Amino acid sequence: MVTTGPGRPRLTSPRRPGASAAEEILDAAAELFTTQGFTATSTRRIARDVGIRQASLYHHFATKEEILEALLERTVSPALAAADALTAADVPGAVALHALAWFDSRQLASARWNLGALYLLPELRSPSLAPFVEQRRALRGRYAALARRAVLESEGGDRDGDDAALLDLPFRIVESVIATRADSDEAPSADIGRTLADAALRVLGVDGQAIEPHSRRALAAAGLADTAPTD
Amino acid sequence: MVTTGPGRPRLTSPRRPGASAAEEILDAAAELFTTQGFTATSTRRIARDVGIRQASLYHHFATKEEILEALLERTVSPALAAADALTAADVPGAVALHALAWFDSRQLASARWNLGALYLLPELRSPSLAPFVEQRRALRGRYAALARRAVLESEGGDRDGDDAALLDLPFRIVESVIATRADSDEAPSADIGRTLADAALRVLGVDGQAIEPHSRRALAAAGLADTAPTD
């Protein structure tokens, strides 16, 4: 008999990665949402895939939307924490942006399930998803603020630091990992983090070639060394 | 009494834009799929929104997937035709790529419904959607081929013409219009086509500043003058 926190004791060993029943529920839901679709997935089916009763699932999550909210928040909260640390660090905007883009695109590329494929669901307009939507909006704002700093600090300086569509592109380039994963059966190339971080600067007209060592150091200094890119 | 091709004669005037009942069905379905979700939308509801009987809908489309296929194909087929014309034109790769990105991003930005938000649905793996998936894959290939030409022809030439993730970025930058529309209640800026076309070159390390007049001419010469960007 396996005990996994609140809810009924389990009669079987866990079938899913995760240190608790809640983690197993999240993993099963992530697989079903990304492969069968959010609407087409029932909480009954999630419980079955975990090997628990539906009633046990409700000990952990009141609704299917609550599971989705928890999953989606995890796709942005590490990047948001990284953005805050890098924004506060004493480094040029281009270095902070490169480091953030590298960290975040690696994270999106290596996550077990491609949950970003759910970002455009109409269901995200429901009030229960508001915390995630707000977090992702905040992350997008951090990218744009760092992009603006990078443009204004750059020597070329022929770009417009007020072009909102341009300043939005580093965030969009990083999130392109999601579509790349969805469009291909292969895993993204190991080098995808560096490629996208370089591209996030180049698209602003900022040369990022000399930036990489500084970007690595900035990640280490921000306490992100354990998760620093190794590609 | 209004006649609209096959199916029952209509008792009411059309409620939807479109010259035929099939066009009205597509418009209603596009609205429902993008605002309520594909799975959550029934053919019964589509028929109700058009003001026809469900049986009449089936005169035009055998399944809901068939409606989705028709809608999604229309989001890529004009760009694919443009890509073929521009690839065959006697212009540098950078000019053809700029023109294609401009044309395609304007098209995605100005379409009545943001159907690209459905590109990542798991339902797209169903066999009935295969023609669209193949068309979009072909379009992505055209972008990458033009990107490769632009890189190899560029004077700087310090970029890798074989980096698949890099060559994929112009396509991803153009498709970022979709997420931008989904993330905002405002329409994309009128200038979005030019911003993204410039960015699609810059991300490759190719300077597109002098390209715009050539890009305009290439669109006109390819018979795309009527739909050429005016921003």
Side-chain angles (χ1 to χ4, degrees):
Chain A
M1 183 116 60
V2 185
T3 55
T4 51
R8 282 168 173 275
R10 291 274 297 276
L11 297 172
T12 57
S13 297
R15 299 182 188 173
R16 291 270 168 188
S20 67
E23 291 297 325
E24 288 182 72
I25 291 165
L26 289 171
D27 185 70
E31 176 169 10
L32 290 163
F33 293 169
T34 53
T35 59
Q36 310 299 311
F38 175 73
T39 311
T41 299
S42 63
T43 52
R44 186 188 183 87
R45 171 67 194 269
I46 297 168
R48 199 185 80 198
D49 275 25
V50 177
I52 59 176
R53 289 197 184 82
Q54 199 175 1
S56 307
L57 184 145
Y58 290 121
H59 282 284
H60 301 281
F61 300 99
T63 63
K64 191 170 69 163
E65 281 71 20
E66 212 173 89
I67 300 176
L68 179 64
E69 215 285 323
L71 283 169
L72 292 181
E73 248 191 61
R74 288 161 174 228
T75 68
V76 293
S77 54
L80 196 52
D84 286 342
L86 291 164
T87 299
D90 184 25
V91 295
V95 171
L97 179 60
H98 190 277
L100 174 60
W102 199 349
F103 173 84
D104 195 12
S105 52
R106 280 274 304 195
Q107 174 199 242
L108 291 172
S110 60
R112 185 164 141 84
W113 305 107
N114 189 22
L115 285 160
L118 307 173
Y119 284 172
L120 306 184
L121 285 179
E123 285 85 350
L124 263 63
R125 287 182 216 121
S126 103
S128 61
L129 273 299
F132 158 71
V133 171
E134 186 43 51
Q135 276 209 326
R136 182 158 165 270
R137 197 193 316 272
L139 178 61
R140 187 181 169 197
R142 301 291 198 287
Y143 268 95
L146 289 177
R148 187 154 191 277
R149 268 177 57 192
V151 168
L152 296 176
E153 288 163 12
S154 74
E155 293 194 18
D158 63 332
R159 303 288 161 212
D160 186 351
D162 290 319
D163 182 339
L166 178 66
L167 300 181
D168 197 32
L169 282 174
F171 177 69
R172 300 302 175 189
I173 285 172
V174 168
E175 284 201 343
S176 76
V177 170
I178 297 161
T180 299
R181 284 185 69 168
D183 285 344
S184 172
D185 297 329
E186 298 159 45
S189 81
D191 215 32
I192 192 76
R194 177 189 282 131
T195 299
L196 297 184
D198 287 353
L201 290 187
R202 205 180 311 125
V203 79
L204 300 173
V206 177
D207 183 7
Q209 294 230 299
I211 293 220
E212 189 184 310
H214 303 283
S215 170
R216 267 184 209 281
R217 270 199 297 279
L219 283 167
L224 299 163
D226 288 350
T227 50
T230 52
D231 61 344
Chain B
M1 182 111 61
V2 184
T3 55
T4 52
R8 282 169 172 277
R10 292 277 295 277
L11 297 172
T12 56
S13 297
R15 299 180 188 173
R16 291 271 169 186
S20 67
E23 291 297 324
E24 288 182 72
I25 290 166
L26 290 171
D27 185 70
E31 176 169 10
L32 290 164
F33 292 168
T34 53
T35 59
Q36 311 298 311
F38 175 72
T39 313
T41 298
S42 63
T43 51
R44 187 189 182 88
R45 172 67 194 272
I46 297 169
R48 199 185 80 199
D49 275 26
V50 177
I52 59 175
R53 289 196 183 83
Q54 198 176 1
S56 306
L57 184 145
Y58 287 121
H59 281 285
H60 300 281
F61 299 98
T63 63
K64 192 171 68 161
E65 282 71 21
E66 211 173 271
I67 300 175
L68 180 63
E69 214 285 324
L71 284 169
L72 292 181
E73 248 193 61
R74 289 163 174 226
T75 68
V76 292
S77 53
L80 196 52
D84 286 340
L86 291 163
T87 299
D90 183 26
V91 295
V95 171
L97 179 60
H98 190 278
L100 174 59
W102 199 348
F103 173 83
D104 195 11
S105 52
R106 281 275 303 193
Q107 176 200 241
L108 291 172
S110 61
R112 184 163 142 84
W113 305 107
N114 189 23
L115 286 160
L118 308 173
Y119 283 172
L120 306 185
L121 286 179
E123 285 85 351
L124 262 62
R125 286 181 217 121
S126 102
S128 60
L129 273 297
F132 158 72
V133 170
E134 186 42 50
Q135 275 209 325
R136 181 157 164 271
R137 194 193 319 269
L139 178 60
R140 187 180 169 199
R142 302 289 200 287
Y143 269 96
L146 290 177
R148 185 152 192 276
R149 268 177 56 191
V151 167
L152 294 177
E153 288 163 11
S154 76
E155 292 193 20
D158 63 332
R159 302 292 161 209
D160 186 351
D162 291 318
D163 182 339
L166 178 66
L167 300 181
D168 197 33
L169 282 173
F171 178 69
R172 301 301 175 190
I173 286 172
V174 167
E175 284 202 344
S176 76
V177 169
I178 296 161
T180 300
R181 284 184 70 169
D183 286 343
S184 171
D185 296 329
E186 299 159 44
S189 81
D191 215 31
I192 191 76
R194 177 189 283 130
T195 299
L196 296 184
D198 287 354
L201 290 186
R202 205 180 311 123
V203 79
L204 301 174
V206 176
D207 182 8
Q209 292 229 297
I211 294 224
E212 189 185 310
H214 302 283
S215 170
R216 269 186 209 281
R217 269 198 298 277
L219 284 166
L224 299 163
D226 288 351
T227 49
T230 53
D231 60 346

